[in-house]
PDB file of all heavy atoms in Angstrom:
ATOM      1  N   ILE A   1     109.432  66.969 125.519  1.00 76.00           N
ATOM      2  CA  ILE A   1     108.856  65.671 125.181  1.00 76.00           C
ATOM      3  C   ILE A   1     109.919  64.585 125.305  1.00 76.00           C
ATOM      4  O   ILE A   1     109.661  63.509 125.863  1.00 76.00           O
ATOM      5  CB  ILE A   1     108.268  65.703 123.762  1.00 76.00           C
ATOM      6  CG1 ILE A   1     107.085  66.669 123.707  1.00 76.00           C
ATOM      7  CG2 ILE A   1     107.828  64.319 123.335  1.00 76.00           C
ATOM      8  CD1 ILE A   1     106.493  66.831 122.335  1.00 76.00           C
ATOM      9  N   PHE A   2     111.130  64.869 124.792  1.00 82.00           N
ATOM     10  CA  PHE A   2     112.212  63.892 124.889  1.00 82.00           C
ATOM     11  C   PHE A   2     112.579  63.634 126.341  1.00 82.00           C
ATOM     12  O   PHE A   2     112.823  62.489 126.741  1.00 82.00           O
ATOM     13  CB  PHE A   2     113.443  64.392 124.122  1.00 82.00           C
ATOM     14  CG  PHE A   2     114.632  63.484 124.251  1.00 82.00           C
ATOM     15  CD1 PHE A   2     114.700  62.305 123.523  1.00 82.00           C
ATOM     16  CD2 PHE A   2     115.671  63.797 125.121  1.00 82.00           C
ATOM     17  CE1 PHE A   2     115.797  61.451 123.650  1.00 82.00           C
ATOM     18  CE2 PHE A   2     116.766  62.954 125.250  1.00 82.00           C
ATOM     19  CZ  PHE A   2     116.825  61.783 124.508  1.00 82.00           C
ATOM     20  N   SER A   3     112.609  64.685 127.142  1.00 86.00           N
ATOM     21  CA  SER A   3     112.934  64.550 128.556  1.00 86.00           C
ATOM     22  C   SER A   3     111.909  63.679 129.277  1.00 86.00           C
ATOM     23  O   SER A   3     112.263  62.826 130.107  1.00 86.00           O
ATOM     24  CB  SER A   3     113.014  65.932 129.205  1.00 86.00           C
ATOM     25  OG  SER A   3     113.231  65.831 130.598  1.00 86.00           O
ATOM     26  N   ASP A   4     110.637  63.876 128.969  1.00 90.00           N
ATOM     27  CA  ASP A   4     109.577  63.062 129.581  1.00 90.00           C
ATOM     28  C   ASP A   4     109.710  61.598 129.174  1.00 90.00           C
ATOM     29  O   ASP A   4     109.509  60.691 129.996  1.00 90.00           O
ATOM     30  CB  ASP A   4     108.198  63.593 129.164  1.00 90.00           C
ATOM     31  CG  ASP A   4     107.874  64.921 129.816  1.00 90.00           C
ATOM     32  OD1 ASP A   4     108.525  65.267 130.815  1.00 90.00           O
ATOM     33  OD2 ASP A   4     106.962  65.613 129.319  1.00 90.00           O
ATOM     34  N   TYR A   5     110.044  61.383 127.909  1.00 93.00           N
ATOM     35  CA  TYR A   5     110.193  60.003 127.435  1.00 93.00           C
ATOM     36  C   TYR A   5     111.408  59.339 128.082  1.00 93.00           C
ATOM     37  O   TYR A   5     111.373  58.147 128.418  1.00 93.00           O
ATOM     38  CB  TYR A   5     110.327  59.971 125.916  1.00 93.00           C
ATOM     39  CG  TYR A   5     110.257  58.582 125.326  1.00 93.00           C
ATOM     40  CD1 TYR A   5     109.038  57.907 125.252  1.00 93.00           C
ATOM     41  CD2 TYR A   5     111.400  57.952 124.861  1.00 93.00           C
ATOM     42  CE1 TYR A   5     108.964  56.629 124.723  1.00 93.00           C
ATOM     43  CE2 TYR A   5     111.338  56.664 124.328  1.00 93.00           C
ATOM     44  CZ  TYR A   5     110.120  56.017 124.268  1.00 93.00           C
ATOM     45  OH  TYR A   5     110.049  54.754 123.751  1.00 93.00           O
ATOM     46  N   LEU A   6     112.482  60.090 128.257  1.00 92.00           N
ATOM     47  CA  LEU A   6     113.667  59.583 128.939  1.00 92.00           C
ATOM     48  C   LEU A   6     113.327  59.196 130.375  1.00 92.00           C
ATOM     49  O   LEU A   6     113.758  58.146 130.864  1.00 92.00           O
ATOM     50  CB  LEU A   6     114.775  60.641 128.928  1.00 92.00           C
ATOM     51  CG  LEU A   6     116.066  60.273 129.668  1.00 92.00           C
ATOM     52  CD1 LEU A   6     116.735  59.074 129.011  1.00 92.00           C
ATOM     53  CD2 LEU A   6     117.028  61.469 129.668  1.00 92.00           C
ATOM     54  N   THR A   7     112.548  60.037 131.034  1.00 94.00           N
ATOM     55  CA  THR A   7     112.120  59.735 132.400  1.00 94.00           C
ATOM     56  C   THR A   7     111.279  58.468 132.436  1.00 94.00           C
ATOM     57  O   THR A   7     111.470  57.613 133.309  1.00 94.00           O
ATOM     58  CB  THR A   7     111.311  60.911 132.980  1.00 94.00           C
ATOM     59  OG1 THR A   7     112.149  62.069 133.051  1.00 94.00           O
ATOM     60  CG2 THR A   7     110.796  60.585 134.373  1.00 94.00           C
ATOM     61  N   ASP A   8     110.362  58.339 131.490  1.00 95.00           N
ATOM     62  CA  ASP A   8     109.529  57.132 131.430  1.00 95.00           C
ATOM     63  C   ASP A   8     110.376  55.887 131.161  1.00 95.00           C
ATOM     64  O   ASP A   8     110.099  54.803 131.691  1.00 95.00           O
ATOM     65  CB  ASP A   8     108.462  57.265 130.349  1.00 95.00           C
ATOM     66  CG  ASP A   8     107.353  58.226 130.753  1.00 95.00           C
ATOM     67  OD1 ASP A   8     107.152  58.430 131.967  1.00 95.00           O
ATOM     68  OD2 ASP A   8     106.689  58.780 129.854  1.00 95.00           O
ATOM     69  N   THR A   9     111.412  56.031 130.340  1.00 97.00           N
ATOM     70  CA  THR A   9     112.298  54.901 130.060  1.00 97.00           C
ATOM     71  C   THR A   9     113.040  54.476 131.319  1.00 97.00           C
ATOM     72  O   THR A   9     113.143  53.274 131.620  1.00 97.00           O
ATOM     73  CB  THR A   9     113.305  55.267 128.958  1.00 97.00           C
ATOM     74  OG1 THR A   9     112.600  55.663 127.775  1.00 97.00           O
ATOM     75  CG2 THR A   9     114.208  54.087 128.634  1.00 97.00           C
ATOM     76  N   ALA A  10     113.539  55.447 132.057  1.00 96.00           N
ATOM     77  CA  ALA A  10     114.249  55.133 133.304  1.00 96.00           C
ATOM     78  C   ALA A  10     113.320  54.443 134.298  1.00 96.00           C
ATOM     79  O   ALA A  10     113.699  53.458 134.951  1.00 96.00           O
ATOM     80  CB  ALA A  10     114.823  56.409 133.908  1.00 96.00           C
ATOM     81  N   ARG A  11     112.109  54.943 134.426  1.00 95.00           N
ATOM     82  CA  ARG A  11     111.141  54.328 135.343  1.00 95.00           C
ATOM     83  C   ARG A  11     110.758  52.928 134.873  1.00 95.00           C
ATOM     84  O   ARG A  11     110.555  52.026 135.700  1.00 95.00           O
ATOM     85  CB  ARG A  11     109.902  55.209 135.463  1.00 95.00           C
ATOM     86  CG  ARG A  11     110.149  56.525 136.189  1.00 95.00           C
ATOM     87  CD  ARG A  11     108.941  57.456 136.115  1.00 95.00           C
ATOM     88  NE  ARG A  11     109.187  58.710 136.832  1.00 95.00           N
ATOM     89  CZ  ARG A  11     108.406  59.773 136.786  1.00 95.00           C
ATOM     90  NH1 ARG A  11     107.302  59.740 136.036  1.00 95.00           N
ATOM     91  NH2 ARG A  11     108.698  60.864 137.461  1.00 95.00           N
ATOM     92  N   SER A  12     110.658  52.745 133.573  1.00 96.00           N
ATOM     93  CA  SER A  12     110.340  51.426 133.036  1.00 96.00           C
ATOM     94  C   SER A  12     111.450  50.428 133.340  1.00 96.00           C
ATOM     95  O   SER A  12     111.180  49.274 133.708  1.00 96.00           O
ATOM     96  CB  SER A  12     110.123  51.516 131.515  1.00 96.00           C
ATOM     97  OG  SER A  12     109.023  52.327 131.201  1.00 96.00           O
ATOM     98  N   ILE A  13     112.679  50.855 133.196  1.00 97.00           N
ATOM     99  CA  ILE A  13     113.816  49.980 133.498  1.00 97.00           C
ATOM    100  C   ILE A  13     113.796  49.580 134.967  1.00 97.00           C
ATOM    101  O   ILE A  13     114.018  48.415 135.318  1.00 97.00           O
ATOM    102  CB  ILE A  13     115.136  50.670 133.139  1.00 97.00           C
ATOM    103  CG1 ILE A  13     115.260  50.805 131.615  1.00 97.00           C
ATOM    104  CG2 ILE A  13     116.333  49.905 133.710  1.00 97.00           C
ATOM    105  CD1 ILE A  13     116.434  51.644 131.171  1.00 97.00           C
ATOM    106  N   ALA A  14     113.503  50.543 135.833  1.00 96.00           N
ATOM    107  CA  ALA A  14     113.448  50.251 137.268  1.00 96.00           C
ATOM    108  C   ALA A  14     112.325  49.274 137.584  1.00 96.00           C
ATOM    109  O   ALA A  14     112.475  48.402 138.450  1.00 96.00           O
ATOM    110  CB  ALA A  14     113.256  51.541 138.057  1.00 96.00           C
ATOM    111  N   PHE A  15     111.196  49.396 136.888  1.00 95.00           N
ATOM    112  CA  PHE A  15     110.054  48.529 137.142  1.00 95.00           C
ATOM    113  C   PHE A  15     110.273  47.121 136.595  1.00 95.00           C
ATOM    114  O   PHE A  15     109.874  46.132 137.225  1.00 95.00           O
ATOM    115  CB  PHE A  15     108.799  49.126 136.501  1.00 95.00           C
ATOM    116  CG  PHE A  15     107.555  48.307 136.690  1.00 95.00           C
ATOM    117  CD1 PHE A  15     106.902  48.267 137.923  1.00 95.00           C
ATOM    118  CD2 PHE A  15     107.016  47.574 135.633  1.00 95.00           C
ATOM    119  CE1 PHE A  15     105.751  47.506 138.101  1.00 95.00           C
ATOM    120  CE2 PHE A  15     105.871  46.810 135.804  1.00 95.00           C
ATOM    121  CZ  PHE A  15     105.236  46.774 137.045  1.00 95.00           C
ATOM    122  N   LEU A  16     110.930  47.019 135.447  1.00 97.00           N
ATOM    123  CA  LEU A  16     111.062  45.749 134.744  1.00 97.00           C
ATOM    124  C   LEU A  16     112.349  44.994 135.043  1.00 97.00           C
ATOM    125  O   LEU A  16     112.526  43.868 134.561  1.00 97.00           O
ATOM    126  CB  LEU A  16     110.966  45.983 133.234  1.00 97.00           C
ATOM    127  CG  LEU A  16     109.652  46.557 132.710  1.00 97.00           C
ATOM    128  CD1 LEU A  16     109.775  46.913 131.237  1.00 97.00           C
ATOM    129  CD2 LEU A  16     108.509  45.570 132.929  1.00 97.00           C
ATOM    130  N   SER A  17     113.255  45.590 135.786  1.00 97.00           N
ATOM    131  CA  SER A  17     114.547  44.947 136.016  1.00 97.00           C
ATOM    132  C   SER A  17     115.130  45.344 137.364  1.00 97.00           C
ATOM    133  O   SER A  17     114.513  46.094 138.126  1.00 97.00           O
ATOM    134  CB  SER A  17     115.527  45.341 134.903  1.00 97.00           C
ATOM    135  OG  SER A  17     116.012  46.657 135.109  1.00 97.00           O
ATOM    136  N   ARG A  18     116.330  44.841 137.623  1.00 96.00           N
ATOM    137  CA  ARG A  18     117.062  45.204 138.824  1.00 96.00           C
ATOM    138  C   ARG A  18     118.222  46.150 138.507  1.00 96.00           C
ATOM    139  O   ARG A  18     119.088  46.377 139.348  1.00 96.00           O
ATOM    140  CB  ARG A  18     117.600  43.949 139.511  1.00 96.00           C
ATOM    141  CG  ARG A  18     116.511  43.112 140.165  1.00 96.00           C
ATOM    142  CD  ARG A  18     117.079  41.964 140.948  1.00 96.00           C
ATOM    143  NE  ARG A  18     116.057  41.269 141.713  1.00 96.00           N
ATOM    144  CZ  ARG A  18     116.288  40.199 142.472  1.00 96.00           C
ATOM    145  NH1 ARG A  18     117.515  39.701 142.550  1.00 96.00           N
ATOM    146  NH2 ARG A  18     115.311  39.632 143.144  1.00 96.00           N
ATOM    147  N   LEU A  19     118.249  46.670 137.312  1.00 95.00           N
ATOM    148  CA  LEU A  19     119.296  47.610 136.941  1.00 95.00           C
ATOM    149  C   LEU A  19     119.133  48.897 137.754  1.00 95.00           C
ATOM    150  O   LEU A  19     118.021  49.383 137.939  1.00 95.00           O
ATOM    151  CB  LEU A  19     119.228  47.928 135.443  1.00 95.00           C
ATOM    152  CG  LEU A  19     119.523  46.758 134.504  1.00 95.00           C
ATOM    153  CD1 LEU A  19     119.296  47.165 133.065  1.00 95.00           C
ATOM    154  CD2 LEU A  19     120.961  46.258 134.698  1.00 95.00           C
ATOM    155  N   PRO A  20     120.235  49.472 138.251  1.00 94.00           N
ATOM    156  CA  PRO A  20     120.141  50.695 139.061  1.00 94.00           C
ATOM    157  C   PRO A  20     119.719  51.898 138.221  1.00 94.00           C
ATOM    158  O   PRO A  20     120.185  52.083 137.098  1.00 94.00           O
ATOM    159  CB  PRO A  20     121.569  50.858 139.595  1.00 94.00           C
ATOM    160  CG  PRO A  20     122.439  50.157 138.597  1.00 94.00           C
ATOM    161  CD  PRO A  20     121.632  48.992 138.106  1.00 94.00           C
ATOM    162  N   VAL A  21     118.824  52.689 138.772  1.00 94.00           N
ATOM    163  CA  VAL A  21     118.324  53.894 138.105  1.00 94.00           C
ATOM    164  C   VAL A  21     118.448  55.054 139.082  1.00 94.00           C
ATOM    165  O   VAL A  21     118.048  54.917 140.243  1.00 94.00           O
ATOM    166  CB  VAL A  21     116.855  53.722 137.669  1.00 94.00           C
ATOM    167  CG1 VAL A  21     116.304  55.019 137.077  1.00 94.00           C
ATOM    168  CG2 VAL A  21     116.721  52.580 136.673  1.00 94.00           C
ATOM    169  N   PRO A  22     119.004  56.199 138.658  1.00 92.00           N
ATOM    170  CA  PRO A  22     119.154  57.352 139.570  1.00 92.00           C
ATOM    171  C   PRO A  22     117.830  57.773 140.204  1.00 92.00           C
ATOM    172  O   PRO A  22     116.777  57.767 139.554  1.00 92.00           O
ATOM    173  CB  PRO A  22     119.707  58.447 138.653  1.00 92.00           C
ATOM    174  CG  PRO A  22     120.402  57.702 137.551  1.00 92.00           C
ATOM    175  CD  PRO A  22     119.576  56.465 137.326  1.00 92.00           C
ATOM    176  N   SER A  23     117.888  58.141 141.462  1.00 90.00           N
ATOM    177  CA  SER A  23     116.671  58.493 142.218  1.00 90.00           C
ATOM    178  C   SER A  23     115.982  59.748 141.680  1.00 90.00           C
ATOM    179  O   SER A  23     114.788  59.946 141.909  1.00 90.00           O
ATOM    180  CB  SER A  23     117.020  58.693 143.691  1.00 90.00           C
ATOM    181  OG  SER A  23     117.977  59.730 143.845  1.00 90.00           O
ATOM    182  N   ARG A  24     116.711  60.581 140.947  1.00 88.00           N
ATOM    183  CA  ARG A  24     116.103  61.826 140.454  1.00 88.00           C
ATOM    184  C   ARG A  24     114.940  61.565 139.502  1.00 88.00           C
ATOM    185  O   ARG A  24     114.060  62.428 139.329  1.00 88.00           O
ATOM    186  CB  ARG A  24     117.161  62.683 139.759  1.00 88.00           C
ATOM    187  CG  ARG A  24     117.774  62.071 138.522  1.00 88.00           C
ATOM    188  CD  ARG A  24     118.887  62.963 137.974  1.00 88.00           C
ATOM    189  NE  ARG A  24     119.561  62.400 136.826  1.00 88.00           N
ATOM    190  CZ  ARG A  24     119.138  62.533 135.569  1.00 88.00           C
ATOM    191  NH1 ARG A  24     118.041  63.245 135.326  1.00 88.00           N
ATOM    192  NH2 ARG A  24     119.793  61.994 134.562  1.00 88.00           N
ATOM    193  N   PHE A  25     114.902  60.390 138.904  1.00 90.00           N
ATOM    194  CA  PHE A  25     113.808  60.072 137.984  1.00 90.00           C
ATOM    195  C   PHE A  25     112.503  59.768 138.725  1.00 90.00           C
ATOM    196  O   PHE A  25     111.448  59.648 138.096  1.00 90.00           O
ATOM    197  CB  PHE A  25     114.178  58.879 137.103  1.00 90.00           C
ATOM    198  CG  PHE A  25     115.222  59.190 136.065  1.00 90.00           C
ATOM    199  CD1 PHE A  25     116.520  58.727 136.203  1.00 90.00           C
ATOM    200  CD2 PHE A  25     114.909  59.964 134.965  1.00 90.00           C
ATOM    201  CE1 PHE A  25     117.485  59.013 135.252  1.00 90.00           C
ATOM    202  CE2 PHE A  25     115.867  60.274 134.005  1.00 90.00           C
ATOM    203  CZ  PHE A  25     117.165  59.788 134.155  1.00 90.00           C
ATOM    204  N   PHE A  26     112.565  59.641 140.044  1.00 88.00           N
ATOM    205  CA  PHE A  26     111.382  59.282 140.814  1.00 88.00           C
ATOM    206  C   PHE A  26     110.928  60.380 141.760  1.00 88.00           C
ATOM    207  O   PHE A  26     109.999  60.187 142.529  1.00 88.00           O
ATOM    208  CB  PHE A  26     111.657  57.998 141.603  1.00 88.00           C
ATOM    209  CG  PHE A  26     112.074  56.844 140.730  1.00 88.00           C
ATOM    210  CD1 PHE A  26     113.414  56.573 140.531  1.00 88.00           C
ATOM    211  CD2 PHE A  26     111.128  56.076 140.085  1.00 88.00           C
ATOM    212  CE1 PHE A  26     113.802  55.522 139.712  1.00 88.00           C
ATOM    213  CE2 PHE A  26     111.505  55.029 139.266  1.00 88.00           C
ATOM    214  CZ  PHE A  26     112.849  54.753 139.078  1.00 88.00           C
ATOM    215  N   GLU A  27     111.572  61.533 141.676  1.00 84.00           N
ATOM    216  CA  GLU A  27     111.180  62.649 142.538  1.00 84.00           C
ATOM    217  C   GLU A  27     109.783  63.130 142.175  1.00 84.00           C
ATOM    218  O   GLU A  27     109.492  63.476 141.037  1.00 84.00           O
ATOM    219  CB  GLU A  27     112.190  63.798 142.401  1.00 84.00           C
ATOM    220  CG  GLU A  27     113.575  63.440 142.943  1.00 84.00           C
ATOM    221  CD  GLU A  27     114.583  64.550 142.689  1.00 84.00           C
ATOM    222  OE1 GLU A  27     114.216  65.561 142.059  1.00 84.00           O
ATOM    223  OE2 GLU A  27     115.754  64.390 143.107  1.00 84.00           O
ATOM    224  N   GLY A  28     108.879  63.108 143.159  1.00 78.00           N
ATOM    225  CA  GLY A  28     107.506  63.529 142.941  1.00 78.00           C
ATOM    226  C   GLY A  28     106.650  62.532 142.199  1.00 78.00           C
ATOM    227  O   GLY A  28     105.498  62.839 141.853  1.00 78.00           O
ATOM    228  N   HIS A  29     107.174  61.331 141.961  1.00 80.00           N
ATOM    229  CA  HIS A  29     106.411  60.320 141.216  1.00 80.00           C
ATOM    230  C   HIS A  29     105.540  59.513 142.172  1.00 80.00           C
ATOM    231  O   HIS A  29     105.991  59.100 143.245  1.00 80.00           O
ATOM    232  CB  HIS A  29     107.376  59.389 140.487  1.00 80.00           C
ATOM    233  CG  HIS A  29     106.711  58.344 139.651  1.00 80.00           C
ATOM    234  ND1 HIS A  29     105.710  58.637 138.752  1.00 80.00           N
ATOM    235  CD2 HIS A  29     106.892  56.998 139.582  1.00 80.00           C
ATOM    236  CE1 HIS A  29     105.321  57.525 138.151  1.00 80.00           C
ATOM    237  NE2 HIS A  29     106.011  56.515 138.643  1.00 80.00           N
ATOM    238  N   ASP A  30     104.278  59.283 141.801  1.00 80.00           N
ATOM    239  CA  ASP A  30     103.340  58.580 142.677  1.00 80.00           C
ATOM    240  C   ASP A  30     103.319  57.075 142.448  1.00 80.00           C
ATOM    241  O   ASP A  30     102.534  56.351 143.071  1.00 80.00           O
ATOM    242  CB  ASP A  30     101.930  59.145 142.509  1.00 80.00           C
ATOM    243  CG  ASP A  30     101.407  58.993 141.081  1.00 80.00           C
ATOM    244  OD1 ASP A  30     102.129  58.429 140.228  1.00 80.00           O
ATOM    245  OD2 ASP A  30     100.267  59.437 140.822  1.00 80.00           O
ATOM    246  N   GLY A  31     104.172  56.589 141.554  1.00 79.00           N
ATOM    247  CA  GLY A  31     104.236  55.158 141.290  1.00 79.00           C
ATOM    248  C   GLY A  31     103.331  54.681 140.167  1.00 79.00           C
ATOM    249  O   GLY A  31     103.387  53.513 139.777  1.00 79.00           O
ATOM    250  N   ALA A  32     102.487  55.558 139.629  1.00 86.00           N
ATOM    251  CA  ALA A  32     101.595  55.166 138.535  1.00 86.00           C
ATOM    252  C   ALA A  32     102.397  54.905 137.254  1.00 86.00           C
ATOM    253  O   ALA A  32     103.393  55.574 136.984  1.00 86.00           O
ATOM    254  CB  ALA A  32     100.558  56.244 138.287  1.00 86.00           C
TER     255      ALA A  32
END
C-alpha cells in the first residue's frame, strides 16, 4: 500500500510540476 502511494505521489509531482521524476514510476502506466 505504501509503495502504491509513493508511486502515486511521484506521478502526481510529474503531472503538477516540472520537477524530474524517475521513469520507473511510469512503467506500464496508461496515463490515467
Side-chain angles (χ1 to χ4, degrees):
I1 295 177
F2 176 77
S3 176
D4 289 342
Y5 189 74
L6 177 63
T7 297
D8 287 336
T9 302
R11 291 172 179 170
S12 297
I13 291 172
F15 180 74
L16 298 172
S17 77
R18 289 186 173 179
L19 295 175
V21 175
S23 60
R24 63 184 177 86
F25 288 107
F26 303 95
E27 294 175 358
H29 182 49
D30 61 1

